[in-house]
Amino acid sequence: MSDKSYLALPFFDDAHRELEQRLDAWATASLKVDHSDTDAACRALVRQLGVAGWLRYCVPAAHGGALDTLDSRSLCLLRETLARHDGLADFAFAMQGLGSGAITLAGSDAMRERYLPRVARGEAIAAFALSEPDAGSDVAAMQCRAVRDGDHYVLDGVKTWISNGGIADFYCVFARTGEAPGARGISAFVVDADTPGLTIAERIDVMAPHPLATLRFENCRVPVAARLGEAGQGFKVAMMTLDIFRASVAAASLGFGRAALDEALARATVRPMFGGVLADLQLTQAAIGDMATAIDSAALLTYRAAWLRDVAGVRTTREAAMAKMVATENAQQVIDRAVQMFGGLGVKVGTRVESLYREIRSLRIYEGATEVQKLIIARETLAQHRA
Ligand SMILES: Cc1cc2nc3c(=O)[nH]c(=O)nc-3n(C[C@H](O)[C@H](O)[C@H](O)COP(=O)(O)OP(=O)(O)OC[C@H]3O[C@@H](n4cnc5c(N)ncnc54)[C@H](O)[C@@H]3O)c2cc1C
């Protein structure tokens, strides 16, 4: 039984506690999707999460969502719980939120009504297309262009590392429209997957399989009405979207870390060794002490970031960056310790700790690598000091 004492923390309301209990029970009973075909598994998971109502937390109530506005604490609890059960289920959930977040934040009412209810029901798969081959951490260096041509924009360029690439029904795409140099000359668009001129250039295999692709735009025409927000505001829209979901990456890491600690405790308390069990040995106890503390410290940072955004209503750039950095790095360490405790079984393909070891790795890279988070925290801290 996983530690649930965190639910008693004052960051949460009773509605959050009830949400976690319902989801945990549902995940235990229902998350049994076969993962041998990643695309099929992902499609099935999106549909299943939609039918069960969990995706309603990814969009606002006015367009089929569960709550009036996106609630960071609910998103965190949903991702943490899903990740603890099944990494691909967490991925399917997270991408519906991240992939539609720009529409929620900046889309016209018509765009919201066209996409968000289907996202919430799991009938349309969403994707977020920001990164490019030469613009990852330095995202403002993007080169993909959208040139105005009457009542259309014409997109040309490449996006890569796009989660759900190849199975998405639509992509929120960020492209250079040239109102100003750098970050102030970018706009956001929704591009339907079947738009002529949009092709999948490459499917990318990663160590923890999920749908991922490089997209190519060649003379790809989208109506001006598909633009999200004002021209030149796309970078701001992307950062606002990431601000919401960054704390939820921390929460997913927590879920992976908790799963690893649960596995380690179960193993260490039964594995016979030196006349007792592995957990009797003080070096094992030291590892367990480190793992439990790493998880709790990451949890406190994560829930603080979510609470500040939901309740205090303040910008949480610094707090979300701290949560993302600490939770992903700590989870990696916790999982590595769990693999070590399992000995040979820890690296046997198919064991849970082996898959957790692969699953956690990319969370330290995407939505801002650890080094990027560190610089954000330093920038915000210095700015506070100077003010
Ligand atoms: C599994 C996965 C899923 C993804 N899904 C999406 C998606 O859905 N949509 C999307 O748009 N993108 C997605 N990405 C892309 C992701 O956001 C980028 O990989 C990430 O931003 C890093 O960019 P990059 O890979 O180009 O690495 P680079 O930008 O080349 O960075 C390489 C490394 O440099 C280091 N670094 C960065 N900045 C600094 C610094 N200032 N000082 C020192 N070192 C530094 C970091 O360690 C970083 O990992 C995904 C990536 C992965 C791996």
Side-chain angles (χ1 to χ4, degrees):
M1 175 68 180
S2 210
D3 173 28
K4 296 289 187 78
S5 58
Y6 62 94
L7 289 171
L9 291 171
F11 295 116
F12 299 114
D13 300 334
D14 283 344
H16 296 113
R17 299 181 181 105
E18 193 257 341
L19 170 68
E20 192 279 340
Q21 277 160 15
R22 268 193 304 124
L23 176 61
D24 196 23
W26 176 85
T28 305
S30 311
L31 273 183
K32 305 198 189 304
V33 168
D34 172 12
H35 288 196
S36 54
D37 176 337
T38 309
D39 285 2
C42 234
R43 285 196 183 94
L45 283 164
V46 170
R47 193 79 192 102
Q48 199 185 357
L49 290 164
V51 169
W54 305 117
L55 295 179
R56 293 175 61 232
Y57 289 88
C58 292
V59 310
H63 302 284
L67 304 168
D68 287 345
T69 53
L70 297 184
D71 180 71
S72 285
R73 290 166 298 167
S74 300
L75 289 171
C76 283
L77 287 177
L78 278 146
R79 289 203 62 183
E80 179 174 340
T81 307
L82 289 172
R84 186 160 54 74
H85 283 274
D86 179 344
L88 203 58
D90 164 60
F91 167 82
F93 174 84
M95 284 316 304
Q96 290 299 93
L98 184 66
S100 68
I103 303 176
T104 297
L105 291 173
S108 63
D109 274 346
M111 291 298 276
R112 287 182 181 150
E113 201 42 41
R114 179 168 168 189
Y115 291 99
L116 299 182
R118 288 189 292 138
V119 167
R121 290 195 299 265
E123 292 167 4
I125 296 182
F128 179 82
L130 182 66
S131 304
E132 297 183 6
D134 291 329
S137 304
D138 183 10
V139 71
M142 75 170 59
Q143 291 171 8
C144 183
R145 291 190 175 279
V147 176
R148 182 86 183 244
D149 179 19
D151 54 2
H152 281 74
Y153 280 93
V154 182
L155 273 70
D156 282 284
V158 172
K159 293 285 171 186
T160 193
W161 303 113
I162 307 309
S163 296
N164 277 343
I167 69 162
D169 293 293
F170 68 88
Y171 298 86
C172 283
V173 181
F174 298 85
R176 190 160 289 293
T177 38
E179 290 73 18
R184 283 172 293 121
I186 291 166
S187 303
F189 302 91
V190 183
V191 183
D192 288 326
D194 58 3
T195 308
L198 165 57
T199 51
I200 304 299
E202 182 197 3
R203 294 298 299 268
I204 307 170
D205 289 330
V206 281
M207 59 203 278
H210 70 246
L212 199 66
T214 300
L215 316 179
R216 177 168 293 124
F217 298 88
E218 278 172 315
N219 199 21
C220 177
R221 296 175 73 81
V222 295
V224 170
R227 194 183 67 214
L228 300 170
E230 296 300 314
Q233 296 294 306
F235 189 80
K236 204 169 141 196
V237 172
M239 293 306 121
M240 281 161 60
T241 310
L242 289 172
D243 252 5
I244 299 176
F245 288 96
R246 197 162 274 151
S248 81
V249 179
S253 309
L254 270 178
F256 290 138
R258 288 193 196 283
L261 179 58
D262 292 346
E263 292 283 333
L265 291 171
R267 176 74 183 161
T269 48
V270 298
R271 168 67 173 161
M273 205 179 285
F274 302 117
V277 292
L278 181 58
D280 294 335
L281 305 171
Q282 280 195 330
L283 286 174
T284 308
Q285 292 166 14
I288 289 169
D290 287 343
M291 291 160 87
T293 308
I295 288 173
D296 276 17
S297 49
L300 288 169
L301 284 174
T302 304
Y303 307 146
R304 175 184 74 161
W307 181 89
L308 278 171
R309 185 178 171 279
D310 291 342
V311 179
V314 295
R315 278 192 63 211
T316 55
T317 307
R318 175 175 169 271
E319 290 77 11
M322 284 183 178
K324 202 257 176 191
M325 177 175 80
V326 171
T328 55
E329 294 289 333
N330 284 10
Q332 181 87 63
Q333 286 171 23
V334 168
I335 293 167
D336 188 59
R337 300 297 277 271
V339 167
Q340 191 73 8
M341 269 190 223
F342 268 75
L345 268 184
V347 292
K348 184 178 174 199
V349 174
T351 61
R352 185 79 208 280
V353 289
E354 179 270 337
S355 78
L356 288 166
Y357 191 77
R358 291 182 287 102
E359 274 172 317
I360 189 60
R361 192 61 187 86
S362 58
L363 278 70
R364 292 168 57 207
I365 296 172
Y366 65 56
E367 293 193 35
T370 293
E371 290 80 357
V372 173
Q373 306 305 332
K374 207 170 273 190
L375 292 177
I376 293 172
I377 297 162
R379 186 192 67 208
E380 297 282 317
T381 306
L382 282 166
Q384 267 178 15
H385 172 74
R386 287 181 177 131

